[in-house]
Amino acid sequence: LGYTQSAISQQIATLERLVGVKLIERPGGPRAVSLTEAGRLVLRHAEAIMARLKAAEADVAAMLEGAAGRLRIGTFQSVGARIVPTLLRRFNADWPGVEVQLTESASDPELLGYIERGELDLTFAMPPLPEGPFATVELMRDPWVLLVPRDSELAARRDPLPLREVAKLPLIAPRLCASLEHIHAHFRARRVEPNYVFHLDENNIVHGMVAAGAGIALIPKLAVDSNDERVAVLELGPRVPPRVIAIAWHRDRYRLPAAEAFVELAQALCAELEQTAEPVAAAVG
């Protein structure tokens, strides 16, 4: 930190006098210093204050940069593969002076944390969002599907596959997708527990595992590689709620005109994707 130990001790003591309660346990000797319960509470507030300060700094920088600055976007894998490339092509045509920086993560909380601290301007996310200074607009609804080996008996089926039968399959499902919980509710309503053999977040690995016969993937439709001839797709049907994809930003921050344009282009593109979605082999009941 660049401070002497005595200077740190004086600053902590001053803070404790201002707060009126002990914040740090100092056991002495080789035992580690730790926060009291009050100290942990103050730390959480301090982190929120620092995040707002960083967001304010980002706002000032954004206003100074204008249309020739940067636009920082957060994304996750399926959106990055199926939506972002076309979206960037259209955005760059309209805003050639704006540099777009992408940050990918499989964790919505991580991406939303970047939004809260002003480290991202926009991020794709899946509602419902955790409590925080976030505003969102829904982009599209992405249905859940089953990915099966092309040469399997399931791929040839045309009759609906009941969820009770789906639950008995060796399922491969995402590890970090919060919206999967909605499907679990449908399994529980039928008093069955799905048989998960793997939890994987890398779509290429999921396709490879299914093609090799290692399991049946339960994944969002956007995560399907339509060019992979080794696999076939079965829909889960309208009774299973789709994954909702939205775009989020910090509601208290100044919104760049370029950010507003990016959101509008994303809405238009996702509307096109929903209208032109290819039908798949069979419906699952």
Side-chain angles (χ1 to χ4, degrees):
L1 294 176
Y3 289 89
T4 63
Q5 181 177 340
S6 60
I8 293 292
S9 298
Q10 291 173 10
Q11 292 183 34
I12 292 173
T14 299
L15 180 60
E16 289 180 330
R17 284 196 300 272
L18 291 171
V19 176
V21 66
K22 188 176 183 181
L23 301 177
I24 294 180
E25 296 286 358
R26 307 172 182 83
R31 290 177 294 175
V33 173
S34 61
L35 292 176
T36 64
E37 185 175 353
R40 289 191 292 271
L41 176 64
V42 171
L43 176 61
R44 287 198 296 271
H45 284 286
E47 289 172 339
I49 291 169
M50 293 302 297
R52 292 299 299 271
L53 285 173
K54 289 183 178 180
E57 292 173 356
D59 280 350
V60 173
M63 291 184 68
L64 292 175
E65 290 175 349
R70 293 177 301 165
L71 186 61
R72 301 161 302 168
I73 308 295
T75 186
F76 46 90
Q77 188 178 177
S78 57
V79 167
R82 296 290 302 279
I83 295 176
V84 170
T86 301
L87 183 55
L88 286 183
R89 177 173 53 81
R90 296 182 182 182
F91 179 80
N92 290 335
D94 292 343
W95 296 78
V98 176
E99 175 193 359
V100 177
Q101 295 182 346
L102 293 176
T103 297
E104 185 186 39
S105 173
S107 168
D108 265 16
E110 181 178 16
L111 292 172
L112 291 169
Y114 294 149
I115 290 287
E116 187 170 5
R117 295 191 297 273
E119 296 173 20
L120 287 177
D121 302 301
L122 300 167
T123 188
F124 292 93
M126 289 176 286
L129 270 58
E131 184 177 350
F134 309 118
T136 65
V137 61
E138 182 177 319
L139 297 177
M140 67 181 296
R141 300 194 167 209
D142 183 24
W144 288 85
V145 298
L146 290 176
L147 196 66
V148 304
R150 176 72 66 181
D151 58 358
S152 69
E153 293 183 2
L154 285 175
R157 287 187 60 161
R158 291 297 179 265
D159 56 314
L161 193 64
L163 278 181
R164 288 182 179 276
E165 190 172 339
V166 173
K168 297 176 182 178
L169 298 173
L171 294 175
I172 302 171
R175 180 171 51 91
L176 297 173
C177 186
S179 63
L180 191 62
E181 179 59 30
H182 298 304
I183 296 183
H184 291 168
H186 283 259
F187 282 120
R188 287 193 293 267
R190 292 160 177 79
R191 297 183 179 180
V192 294
E193 287 293 327
N195 174 33
Y196 293 121
V197 293
F198 296 107
H199 286 277
L200 302 169
D201 291 316
E202 175 56 54
N203 293 335
N204 290 334
I205 297 177
V206 171
H207 274 70
M209 295 287 277
V210 171
I216 305 299
L218 177 61
I219 59 174
K221 196 170 183 178
L222 271 183
V224 175
D225 180 0
S226 58
N227 296 317
D228 190 345
E229 298 181 352
R230 303 171 300 170
V231 298
V233 181
L234 305 179
E235 283 187 346
L236 281 172
R239 287 182 295 172
V240 177
R243 177 180 70 159
V244 177
I245 296 176
I247 197 163
W249 60 90
H250 197 303
R251 64 168 178 258
D252 298 326
R253 285 191 57 201
Y254 169 76
R255 286 183 66 193
L256 292 166
E260 294 181 359
F262 190 92
V263 172
E264 292 174 1
L265 287 170
Q267 288 177 289
L269 175 58
C270 289
E272 293 174 18
L273 287 173
E274 284 189 313
Q275 292 172 0
T276 60
E278 298 177 2
V280 294
V284 178

